[in-house]
Amino acid sequence: MMKKLLIFIFCFHLFSCSKLNRLDVARTNPSSVKQLNLSASKLTSFPPEIATMSSLTELILFRNKIDSIPDFIGNLKKLESLSMQSNRLVYMSPNTGKLPLLRKLNVRFNRLKSLPADISGLSSLEELDLRNNELEALPENIGDLQNLEYLYLSDNHLQKLPESLGTLKKLRLLHIGRNHLTEPLPDFIGNLESLIELDVSGMGNDNRLPASLGNLRRLETLYVSSYQILPYSIGHGNSRLRVIVR
């Protein structure tokens, strides 16, 4: 009797566990899984079983060989965090933009050349990490992400920045260094009144930074390159500002 009871307790714990790192266990009771970590699992594609995990709030797929985010990602209406760092992503389904609760999206160290315009539908998004991809442009409507606070764009192939970027009033951190802007850094960067940290190092052909940077009264950290010329207005009335040369 005691043996049966222990087996029952073990099984109950196994199936009701909401935080898992094994896909075979997650398959047994998919609707109960809230957190799934399949990092370094040698995956070459997005596991289709994930489509049935209706309670999933956090999905971690670091260090695999996945090349695309499929359409069924839109089924995960409770998802709050999606981390796919260090894969081989070249495609992101437009349905990625149909995740109303998603707050964090990490796709750094992949091979993305573009983002779907539908990404603007991520109304709850607070952090977007796109570092070390092959992005040549951003969606023109990226300014629709009005809850965005952290935006990482460094080490891509961006040639210009969409004007709507300047409407992200909650943005606290913006890293756009080491891109290939064909035009000077736009004046609308000075509209980002909540910025605390800004990285513009190693980018563009123009070494003169815009005078509008002087409008960033809350700025505490500014990363620049040695050849970039700071505007006279920067730092006036802001004793907290640190300028770091990379």
Side-chain angles (χ1 to χ4, degrees):
M1 184 68 180
M2 181 60 69
K3 184 177 181 181
K4 289 182 178 180
L5 180 60
L6 290 174
I7 292 175
F8 172 80
I9 293 173
F10 172 77
C11 290
F12 177 81
H13 174 73
L14 182 67
F15 293 151
S16 63
C17 183
S18 64
K19 187 173 183 179
L20 297 172
N21 57 10
R22 287 177 52 189
L23 188 57
D24 57 340
V25 176
R27 287 191 188 108
T28 61
N29 192 8
S31 62
S32 71
V33 180
K34 293 184 178 181
Q35 295 172 296
L36 182 61
N37 186 343
L38 298 177
S39 296
S41 298
K42 300 181 180 180
L43 298 172
T44 57
S45 63
F46 217 97
E49 297 90 340
I50 290 176
T52 63
M53 298 179 188
S54 55
S55 298
L56 201 61
T57 61
E58 182 178 12
L59 177 57
I60 303 174
L61 295 169
F62 284 174
R63 297 186 300 279
N64 283 290
K65 299 179 180 180
I66 301 171
D67 64 3
S68 63
I69 298 179
D71 288 344
F72 66 70
I73 191 71
N75 296 349
L76 307 178
K77 299 302 183 184
K78 294 185 179 180
L79 197 64
E80 298 178 9
S81 178
L82 174 59
S83 300
M84 297 198 65
Q85 176 181 335
S86 301
N87 275 275
R88 298 180 179 179
L89 289 179
V90 295
Y91 174 76
M92 183 185 299
S93 168
N95 286 351
T96 308
K98 297 180 179 179
L99 302 173
L101 302 181
L102 195 70
R103 294 184 295 105
K104 179 179 179 180
L105 176 58
N106 180 352
V107 290
R108 63 187 289 197
F109 286 103
N110 278 285
R111 302 173 182 177
L112 292 168
K113 292 187 177 182
S114 63
L115 300 175
D118 305 70
I119 199 173
S120 63
L122 298 175
S123 57
S124 299
L125 197 64
E126 298 173 359
E127 180 175 340
L128 178 57
D129 194 340
L130 299 164
R131 284 174 286 183
N132 295 91
N133 274 279
E134 300 173 14
L135 293 172
E136 299 173 355
L138 296 174
E140 291 295 330
N141 56 1
I142 196 169
D144 291 347
L145 301 175
Q146 285 295 306
N147 283 310
L148 203 60
E149 296 184 17
Y150 304 92
L151 179 57
Y152 300 90
L153 298 168
S154 299
D155 297 286
N156 276 283
H157 301 160
L158 296 174
Q159 298 183 25
K160 63 177 295 187
L161 300 175
E163 191 167 348
S164 69
L165 187 66
T167 67
L168 297 175
K169 297 300 184 181
K170 292 185 179 181
L171 204 62
R172 295 164 55 84
L173 179 149
L174 176 61
H175 283 198
I176 50 179
R178 295 170 300 285
N179 275 285
H180 307 297
L181 296 192
T182 57
E183 301 174 353
L185 190 67
D187 287 336
F188 62 67
I189 296 297
N191 297 336
L192 301 174
E193 56 192 31
S194 297
L195 269 190
I196 293 176
E197 181 170 311
L198 175 63
D199 180 2
V200 295
S201 61
M203 59 182 298
N205 296 322
D206 194 328
N207 59 0
R208 190 176 297 275
L209 298 175
S212 64
L213 292 186
N215 299 333
L216 304 177
R217 299 301 183 186
R218 298 182 184 179
L219 197 63
E220 296 181 2
T221 306
L222 174 62
Y223 295 99
V224 299
S225 294
S226 58
Y227 62 84
Q228 290 174 313
I229 301 173
L230 296 176
Y232 176 77
S233 57
I234 193 75
H236 285 276
N238 183 358
S239 59
R240 300 186 305 275
L241 180 63
R242 294 182 306 146
V243 178
I244 300 174
V245 179
R246 286 183 165 177

